[in-house]
Amino acid sequence: MSKERAYNFSAGPSMLPLKVIEDAAADLANYKGCGESVMEMSHRSAEFKTILEDAEKNLREIMNIPDNYKVMFIQGGGTLQFAMVPLNLLRKSGKADYIITGTWAKKAAKEAEKFGDIKIVASSEEATFTYIPKVKKEDFRPDADYVHITLNNTIYGTHYPYIPDTGDIPLVADMSSCILSEEIDVTKFGLIYAGVQKNIAPSGIAIAIMREDLIGFAKDNVPTYLDYKIHADNGSTYNTPNCFSIYIAGEVFKYIKDMGGVAEMHRRDVAKAEKLYNFIDSSELYNCPVNKEDRSLMNVVFVTGNADLDKKFVAEAKAANLHNLNGHRSIGGMRASIYNAMPEEGVDALIAFMKKFQEENR
Ligand SMILES: *Cc1c(COP(=O)(O)O)cnc(C)c1O
């Protein structure tokens, strides 16, 4: 049984711009008349080289990435970055400081603990990660090799309202679920990484944006693939990359550029999120547990306060073509992920459904 395309509120993999999907579909069997599909072509071919170079060029342009940063496309998603970060950046004292703001931050810290002396500088776990802790420069160990944050917390629906000041200590940020939704001053970071399946492309790669002087410190026993230097020196083609994901990422970067860049994405994201939060805050049935100033533009978490009613909501929404509104399996409730590709009409449809559900279940 076929149905029309749904508004898909999945946290990841998640919606891609329809134009990108349709353009890719038109080119699927024969990419721009070259006689091959991107799925079949050699990663060393002139065609793919252009795809990769254009993707990097456009990402550099829309994120305003300075020349002294390398851009890398690496397999293994966000999770492999949890290991690559300590394996490459624990280079002097062997110490790193982490701020724990959710499940992904915890996983990143736990992975790093296998390789060095990891200190949890702050955590909001005692309040079920409903806020972002305030940290000051003095909270970090002066000899830490790096500080790690998770800028947007996909599961709990929080986002840093500030960038922590770490002084001379390189700041590493997991931006998997907020990259390209806001303008970021790249120079504030030693390393930015993001799994692509939330806001950029089909799953399978992570993008790493790394200051050059931090590359090249992996110890001799670090597996070759996990050394950022191998990816930087070989232009992300040390081995066969995920060509198709890189191709779609490049199409999304072009799309964002044509739409007016990251600033325009941010304007739209703010408008969508404000609408939804305002409705939730003014409603009788729904509640958002997240501290107001720390709320995510991308992942909007809400509950009715009744777990059975939450389940009913998710099921009836699905029947109304509003998909994947269940909260993460670890916390339940509801979560509407409204990444760049979610049109405003999707948010309007969700709010209309929420109103109707509220009427029917008071
Ligand atoms: C989804 C997510 C990850 C994990 O990404 P994978 O590509 O599945 O490994 C890591 N960090 C954040 C913030 C995420 O949202």
Side-chain angles (χ1 to χ4, degrees):
M1 216 176 43
S2 71
K3 57 195 247 177
E4 62 181 311
R5 243 177 97 75
Y7 292 119
N8 179 5
F9 295 90
S10 168
S14 38
M15 285 181 81
L16 289 165
L18 185 58
K19 181 180 186 315
V20 169
I21 296 176
E22 286 176 347
D23 288 354
D27 268 344
L28 195 61
N30 187 356
Y31 175 74
K32 298 203 186 307
C34 79
E36 300 170 17
S37 80
V38 178
M39 294 180 286
E40 303 163 310
M41 68 178 51
S42 164
H43 61 296
R44 311 272 175 217
S45 64
E47 284 82 7
F48 187 72
K49 199 161 173 268
T50 304
I51 289 173
L52 185 57
E53 284 173 0
D54 284 353
E56 175 171 342
K57 183 170 107 343
N58 285 321
L59 180 64
R60 283 186 178 277
E61 193 175 323
I62 59 178
M63 280 188 74
N64 202 9
I65 300 172
D67 289 342
N68 65 324
Y69 282 73
K70 290 283 189 196
V71 171
M72 295 165 265
F73 299 91
I74 304 170
Q75 297 183 60
T79 299
L80 193 61
Q81 294 303 302
F82 297 165
M84 284 182 71
V85 167
L87 282 170
N88 285 266
L89 286 178
L90 290 172
R91 64 207 185 284
K92 290 187 247 169
S93 66
K95 298 178 185 176
D97 291 355
Y98 279 66
I99 302 175
I100 304 300
T101 50
T103 307
W104 295 116
K106 244 169 119 168
K107 284 190 169 167
K110 198 151 178 268
E111 191 75 347
E113 279 166 7
K114 294 180 180 174
F115 307 110
D117 169 0
I118 305 305
K119 182 180 172 191
I120 306 306
V121 170
S123 167
S124 49
E125 187 162 19
E126 88 289 346
T128 332
F129 300 119
T130 47
Y131 73 99
I132 299 289
K134 297 269 177 304
V135 290
K136 300 183 302 292
K137 202 156 104 180
E138 299 72 52
D139 296 330
F140 302 114
R141 293 179 290 185
D143 61 342
D145 283 335
Y146 65 91
V147 169
H148 182 281
I149 62 168
T150 309
L151 196 63
N152 185 77
N153 296 279
T154 326
I155 295 175
Y156 296 92
T158 62
H159 179 278
Y160 279 74
Y162 71 105
I163 304 293
D165 177 7
T166 58
D168 292 334
I169 311 170
L171 179 60
V172 175
D174 177 354
M175 297 193 192
S176 294
S177 52
C178 60
I179 191 163
L180 303 180
S181 70
E182 60 192 315
E183 291 181 286
I184 285 287
D185 179 356
V186 174
T187 63
K188 288 206 162 82
F189 301 87
L191 168 62
I192 292 167
Y193 67 86
V196 295
Q197 71 275 24
K198 314 285 163 68
N199 224 357
I200 297 179
S203 64
I205 52 172
I207 291 175
I209 301 163
M210 191 170 189
R211 218 173 66 206
E212 263 168 3
D213 62 294
L214 296 172
I215 300 176
F217 294 98
K219 296 193 178 73
D220 290 343
N221 66 353
V222 168
T224 308
Y225 194 83
L226 304 188
D227 183 351
Y228 287 112
K229 191 166 166 30
I230 214 78
H231 299 283
D233 288 352
N234 291 281
S236 301
T237 49
Y238 169 70
N239 72 332
T240 318
N242 183 336
C243 299
F244 197 79
S245 185
I246 291 172
Y247 158 57
I248 299 294
E251 294 298 303
V252 168
F253 302 152
K254 243 186 273 172
Y255 172 84
I256 291 175
K257 198 167 112 174
D258 292 346
M259 298 304 280
V262 172
E264 173 60 18
M265 289 297 125
H266 184 65
R267 191 194 63 74
R268 293 174 188 214
D269 291 334
V270 168
K272 287 186 287 179
E274 271 183 357
K275 243 188 200 179
L276 188 48
Y277 283 120
N278 285 343
F279 171 71
I280 292 168
D281 289 340
S282 65
S283 78
E284 282 164 39
L285 185 61
Y286 310 101
N287 177 45
C288 170
V290 177
N291 189 28
K292 274 194 179 156
E293 69 161 348
D294 302 331
R295 287 177 175 178
S296 167
L297 295 178
M298 300 281 98
N299 312 100
V300 178
V301 167
F302 57 99
V303 294
T304 65
N306 171 341
D308 290 333
L309 200 55
D310 289 351
K311 279 205 189 77
K312 188 175 174 215
F313 179 98
V314 171
E316 289 185 10
K318 170 123 201 227
N321 234 15
L322 306 169
H323 287 192
N324 296 310
L325 280 159
N326 49 298
H328 189 264
R329 55 197 152 86
S330 60
I331 59 167
M334 277 79 77
R335 170 177 53 175
S337 294
I338 49 173
Y339 298 113
N340 285 351
M342 172 62 67
E344 186 160 359
E345 297 79 56
V347 173
D348 292 340
L350 173 60
I351 292 172
F353 174 82
M354 289 171 80
K355 280 184 185 154
K356 180 168 156 284
F357 187 84
Q358 177 171 268
E359 287 304 315
E360 292 166 358
N361 293 277
R362 36 168 98 248

